[in-house]
Amino acid sequence: MIAAPLAELLLRLNGRRVPELERAVTRVCGALEEGHVCVPLEEDEARLRACEVVGGPGDFKPLILDNGLLYLARYWNYENALAKNLRARAASQPASCDEDKLAAGLNRYLRDADAAQRAAAANAVRRKFSVITGGPGTGKTRTATVALALLAEQGVTRFALAAPTGRAAARLKDSLAQTLDTLAVPAATRALLPTDASTLHRLLGSVPGAGFRHDAENPLSADVIIVDEASMVDLPLMSKLFDAVRPDARIVLLGDPHQLASVEAGHVLGDICDGAPRECITELVKNHRFPGTSGIYQLSRAINDGDDSATLALLENPPADLAAMKTPAPSALAVILRQHIINGFRSCAGAATPEHALRRLGCFRILCALRAGPHGVVNLNRLAEQSLADAGLISPNNAFYPGRPLIVLRNDYSLRLFNGDTGIVLPDEHGELRAFFADDGGVRSIPPSRLPEHETAFAMTVHKAQGSEFDRILFVLPERDSPVLSRELLYTAITRAKTNAEIWWSEPALRAALARRAVRWSGLKRRLEK
């Protein structure tokens, strides 16, 4: 926890006791840990402005008051710098665009596509900054792949693909390759396109203890940067990314603003979609993955709309790709979960190679709204280990055992492991236990003793599941309401499923979540609207 030490430091720096400052500092430091960039002013403004540690925009003070919002200076600087960068990019155009080549390419690759896909691909070519939004299956990756081909045909040769987590980067890489196989891209053009994707930290060149290698003074060499799962990118990282993109380069963000915001401070993609010029943003609506009869598709739309009646109707009479039941009582969990666990993780436990194990780990996952409590991650992971051990599929005699899935909880730049990366513990060719992670189309292994903070991941929170997709999910809601439940959390959970989803739900928790929108205080939208 950083709030208490930071608050104490700020109060000491002020040199005199001011009750209004004490309240404001406590609020702003606590809010940061909850994902807010700033807090609305509730204290007497004149009293605060008289404090040594409080200043206005541009002042060199630890706290900044700006338009009724109170910031820690560092976050005011991040927000202000990002807004300026975005406005400048939105107002300018790339140096050149051969419209005849662009039109020919759009007709070749997207002749039968809907107008939104064509507009999004053209935007990525014509603009220095563009956003492609839409839910799962709306064609964001396909559209971005076409944009890459169109840009290559314009003479662009240096590309970079990135995502917030290793898992999301691997998905982007795989999706790009699969999409290219379905497009009639000439061999000469395809040879110019990127074949790899990296984490944003790796793209920017993270240096342990020293930030990033790439910034405004040492920008990225790429002419085009495409960032997938942009809803997961927090304010500091997004600001540093845009700082490192050359003024003449293009940057394209892909993401779904209806998902949960980043774990860290900010709701950057949502603020951009709400505040940036409309001509920079294209929303893809038509769903190409799910038919209109799909339960996953219908449920995600009903949740996004906050439609209680439609949501309850789908759960009480689920279509073929959905299953639903009332959340079991804690005493019944072990019995009811057992077969789900064995069916979901048997193939992973018996995989012949780390590559196969990691691939099968993506087939099924239990998603939880909470960490604690009988229906939370900690307890369900314990029950999963118990069920698999009873079935003879694992032997959890110590902290590291073959078949244990892991999720990283803290960035470790030296190991290139980042919050949200998932792996699995298996013996290597010498019989030594190692933690295996996907890496550049293959796998790499790390001694368990060197791993940063991590936990078992048979079950994981919905927040941690962002950037991942699974063939099947089991989503477990608690029996009662909790402050963390929101419409965005429900939507994010359901849209992690590619083919089948099962939901354990209670009406009080479900109705409370549908009625609650996740709100984060920020001034970015206002700055972009200037």
Side-chain angles (χ1 to χ4, degrees):
M1 300 289 284
I2 63 168
L6 180 56
E8 291 171 4
L9 174 62
L10 290 171
L11 294 174
R12 284 201 307 273
L13 288 173
N14 194 59
R16 59 189 176 91
R17 186 178 183 274
V18 179
E20 290 85 355
L21 179 64
E22 292 178 11
R23 290 194 296 270
V25 164
T26 299
R27 289 178 59 236
V28 76
C29 292
L32 184 63
E33 293 191 336
E34 295 176 2
H36 301 286
V37 174
C38 54
V39 292
L41 192 63
E42 295 179 356
E43 295 74 24
D44 183 274
E45 183 171 345
R47 293 273 290 169
L48 281 182
R49 288 194 181 278
C51 295
E52 290 295 321
V53 294
V54 179
D59 288 344
F60 188 67
K61 297 291 182 73
L63 293 168
I64 301 296
L65 263 175
D66 185 3
N67 199 42
L69 299 173
L70 181 66
Y71 297 78
L72 291 174
R74 181 170 49 153
Y75 285 84
W76 184 89
N77 287 325
Y78 286 141
E79 185 178 277
N80 189 56
L82 178 60
K84 284 184 176 179
N85 198 317
L86 282 167
R87 289 201 308 270
R89 289 182 182 279
S92 61
Q93 299 289 336
S96 63
C97 174
D98 187 322
E99 291 291 341
D100 291 336
K101 283 185 178 180
L102 176 59
L106 288 170
N107 287 332
R108 182 163 57 252
Y109 303 128
L110 293 175
R111 179 181 298 277
D112 299 322
D114 60 85
Q117 279 187 298
R118 291 172 63 92
N123 238 12
V125 175
R126 293 186 179 122
R127 295 193 162 274
K128 289 185 179 178
F129 166 65
S130 62
V131 182
I132 303 174
T133 75
T138 53
K140 296 187 297 295
T141 305
R142 181 179 182 83
T143 305
T145 306
V146 169
L148 288 171
L150 295 173
L151 286 161
E153 291 168 0
Q154 295 281 332
V156 177
T157 59
R158 294 179 296 185
F159 300 93
L161 305 178
T165 67
R167 179 63 183 165
R171 277 187 49 230
L172 176 60
K173 175 183 176 178
D174 292 345
S175 297
L176 174 68
Q178 292 166 10
T179 303
L180 281 172
D181 288 341
T182 68
L183 296 172
V185 180
T189 300
R190 183 161 182 170
L192 299 173
L193 301 184
T195 58
D196 193 18
S198 72
T199 64
L200 284 169
H201 292 84
R202 184 179 174 191
L203 175 69
L204 293 173
S206 62
V207 180
F212 295 108
R213 192 167 61 251
H214 292 291
D215 55 20
E217 301 300 319
N218 181 31
L220 296 163
S221 62
D223 299 308
V224 177
I225 295 97
I226 292 183
V227 180
D228 198 11
E229 297 290 352
S231 65
M232 298 174 63
V233 184
D234 59 53
L235 175 63
L237 185 56
M238 190 72 85
S239 183
K240 291 171 185 177
L241 169 66
F242 272 79
D243 193 42
V245 178
R246 297 195 329 267
D248 61 323
R250 297 169 173 90
I251 181 166
V252 183
L253 303 181
L254 314 179
D256 185 349
H258 301 300
Q259 287 188 26
L260 284 166
S262 58
V263 175
E264 305 297 334
H267 183 209
V268 182
L269 182 65
D271 287 341
I272 289 173
C273 290
D274 288 342
R278 304 315 305 164
E279 59 269 20
C280 297
I281 300 164
T282 310
E283 182 180 10
L284 306 183
V285 177
K286 183 178 180 181
N287 199 289
H288 304 276
R289 179 187 301 173
F290 300 112
T293 55
S294 161
I296 294 172
Y297 175 65
Q298 293 180 68
L299 183 60
S300 65
R301 289 197 62 179
I303 289 170
N304 200 28
D305 293 338
D307 190 332
D308 296 49
S309 298
T311 300
L312 287 167
L314 285 163
L315 294 177
E316 289 168 349
N317 187 24
D321 59 341
L322 277 183
M325 62 178 281
K326 293 298 178 69
T327 301
S331 59
L333 273 174
V335 173
I336 297 174
L337 262 178
R338 177 180 170 82
Q339 206 55 49
H340 286 80
I341 296 292
I342 292 172
N343 292 343
F345 294 106
R346 182 195 299 274
S347 64
C348 182
T353 66
E355 291 89 345
H356 290 155
L358 288 169
R359 192 154 47 244
R360 291 172 182 176
L361 196 57
C363 294
F364 173 73
R365 197 61 54 93
I366 303 169
L367 304 183
C368 303
L370 308 176
R371 281 192 53 78
H375 302 95
V377 164
V378 175
N379 189 49
L380 295 196
N381 272 319
R382 181 184 64 81
L383 294 177
E385 287 185 330
Q386 180 181 309
S387 295
L388 293 169
D390 290 346
L393 295 172
I394 63 172
S395 298
N397 298 321
N398 52 52
F400 296 101
Y401 54 85
R404 181 191 176 198
L406 302 171
I407 182 166
V408 174
L409 303 178
R410 181 176 53 81
N411 295 340
D412 188 317
Y413 300 110
S414 63
L415 292 176
R416 290 188 292 112
L417 288 177
F418 303 101
N419 191 350
D421 286 351
T422 54
I424 190 167
V425 177
L426 290 171
D428 63 13
E429 64 272 21
H430 306 295
E432 297 292 327
L433 286 180
R434 309 274 291 190
F436 289 87
F437 294 86
D439 184 64
D440 294 344
V443 297
R444 63 189 176 98
S445 67
I446 294 170
S449 61
R450 293 193 62 199
L451 288 172
E453 185 181 354
H454 60 277
E455 67 183 10
T456 303
F458 294 109
M460 59 200 300
T461 63
V462 177
H463 279 87
K464 293 295 185 185
Q466 283 186 271
S468 298
E469 287 183 341
F470 309 97
D471 293 340
R472 298 179 295 113
I473 65 152
L474 168 60
F475 175 40
V476 181
L477 276 167
E479 294 178 288
R480 292 179 292 278
D481 184 25
S482 165
V484 305
L485 298 181
S486 67
R487 195 182 303 179
E488 289 82 0
L489 184 138
L490 299 182
Y491 175 84
T492 302
I494 299 306
T495 55
R496 298 311 89 204
K498 292 192 288 188
T499 58
N500 293 93
E502 180 168 347
I503 300 94
W504 292 359
W505 62 286
S506 70
E507 189 164 338
L510 185 73
R511 286 189 181 277
L514 288 169
R516 184 181 291 124
R517 299 304 302 261
V519 176
R520 289 196 170 177
W521 283 102
S522 160
L524 182 59
K525 176 186 173 183
R526 174 181 58 81
R527 295 182 198 282
L528 292 174
E529 291 173 335
K530 286 183 178 179

